[in-house]
Amino acid sequence: MSSFRTPRGYVVAGVAAAVLLTGCGSDSLGGDTGADDAAGVAGGPVDIGLLVPTSGVYAPLGEDMEQGFRLFLDQNDGKLGGREANIHVVDEGESPDTGVPGAQRLVQQQVDAVVGIVNSGTALGVRDLFEESQIPLIIANAGADAITGERKSDYVWRTSFSNGAVAAPLGTYVAENCESAFLVAADYAAGKEATAAFEKTFTAAGGNVAGSVYPPFGTTTNYQPFLAQITQSGADCVYTFFAGAEAVAFTKQYRELGVTAALYSSGFLTEGGVLTAAGEAAVGVETSLHYSDQLDNERNTEFVEAYQAAYDEAPTVYAVQAYDAAQALDQALADGAETGAEIVDGLQGIDTIDSPRGEFGFDDGHGPDQTYYLRKVESKDGGLINTVVQELDAS
Ligand code: PHB
């Protein structure tokens, strides 16, 4: 059975040449051309591109996403919507420089849908590609606000969050305990959007921003100069956005340099392997997020157990977002959808996704309508956990 359909006659400008030049067009993705594929037989296998980082500072996030996606398949006989699912993993890398060509390869190879994308810049960079090629994209992490806002597309869906939606309710909460905040975040779309949303609600609730700084993304390993600015500002608290390897380095150096301001963040600072690597330095950090493996609901308990059994570690928000992308595709493909437009119709018809984070539906921008939680890092049984403290007020 083929992995790929007969090309739909769509040509991605500049992509064919790029694929030939790099030799990517002749890898295993393009080798399988069964006759039933060309005929588009309903119920035949479905080809899904998994575009996740397997290199760069966000590589651990990509691993979690792949694990989450594959867990759903393992639980469902390797099928989505009753159809055998062929998964084609392509490295997103760290930035749009690698992520956009990765998406172009998958589109060129005519997968039925693509899932993944960690980096907001990559999501923004590929949005038009998916709209024009009419191949559905389910973003399972990248939070770029515009993707489910002013640049929403019929073909682009998201099972994760928007950067502003995670940060905004935290700003309101932090203002209850902190008069003056310093903002520090990775210098790219996600860090900028998160700090902007935090600043908006924090100042609206009476807080004052003492200063802000944006360390270069992907290359900063020494945060000392930026941490010195925080101390000099005299701020009572800090709001930050970092993830992956950057989150570990930032949190450890924050403690090593003895910064005393209370540390608040979007929850990526303390997820999974990052939390383990940061260790004691992360204790007491308060974050906002739409998931914690500590969430007390039946679906999550069963999910955590299954994930733990499969991978010998606790799931992260990245794993859940990808698991839910698989659940969304499962529903969208269930009625025999074949073309991109039919898959989109299937996505449109979804009422709720039974997620470990709690049930959610898609809003008008195709992003999840969900609850955000305040979490606090605590020690438990010799390890560290993100205790769920309360729901955050999103208004
Ligand atoms: C993003 O670029 O939108 C992004 C990256 C890593 C995260 C969260 C958001 O953990």
Side-chain angles (χ1 to χ4, degrees), residues 20 38 57 120 157 177 291 294:
L20 287 176
V57 291
S120 275
W157 294 69
N177 308 306
Y291 181 71
Q294 303 297 309

Side-chain angles (χ1 to χ4, degrees), residues 6 13 16-17 31-32 47 122 137 157 168 174 327:
T6 309
D32 183 8
D47 290 288
T122 302
L137 166 67
W157 294 69
V174 172
Q327 296 209 76

Side-chain angles (χ1 to χ4, degrees), residues 263-341:
L263 184 54
Y264 297 94
S265 180
S266 290
F268 317 106
L269 191 77
T270 63
E271 269 301 279
V274 162
L275 180 57
T276 311
E280 285 300 302
V283 171
V285 177
E286 286 179 79
T287 68
S288 60
L289 207 63
H290 45 290
Y291 181 71
S292 162
D293 63 338
Q294 303 297 309
L295 271 180
D296 186 12
N297 71 60
E298 215 175 295
R299 181 73 169 109
N300 190 43
T301 305
E302 145 202 309
F303 173 76
V304 170
E305 262 175 42
Y307 193 92
Q308 187 85 43
Y311 305 114
D312 202 22
E313 62 186 14
T316 59
V317 70
Y318 309 108
V320 170
Q321 291 165 171
Y323 184 85
D324 289 344
Q327 296 209 76
L329 278 176
D330 187 54
Q331 289 195 41
L333 290 162
D335 289 335
E338 280 285 320
T339 63

Side-chain angles (χ1 to χ4, degrees), residues 154 157 332 337 339-350:
D154 284 351
W157 294 69
T339 63
E342 286 165 0
I343 297 172
V344 162
D345 278 351
L347 289 166
Q348 204 84 55
I350 290 175

Side-chain angles (χ1 to χ4, degrees), residues 184-256:
V184 51
D187 188 12
Y188 79 105
K192 290 286 176 63
E193 290 180 355
T195 49
F198 179 91
E199 176 165 10
K200 194 168 170 201
T201 54
F202 180 69
T203 54
N208 168 55
V209 170
S212 59
V213 68
Y214 296 92
F217 170 67
T219 52
T220 305
T221 50
N222 177 13
Y223 288 91
Q224 193 165 345
F226 310 106
L227 292 165
Q229 285 186 47
I230 295 174
T231 303
Q232 275 157 21
S233 77
D236 313 319
C237 69
V238 168
Y239 168 74
T240 190
F241 172 97
F242 291 107
E246 298 198 324
V248 179
F250 178 82
T251 308
K252 285 191 140 179
Q253 292 173 32
Y254 196 92
R255 298 301 181 207
E256 276 160 19

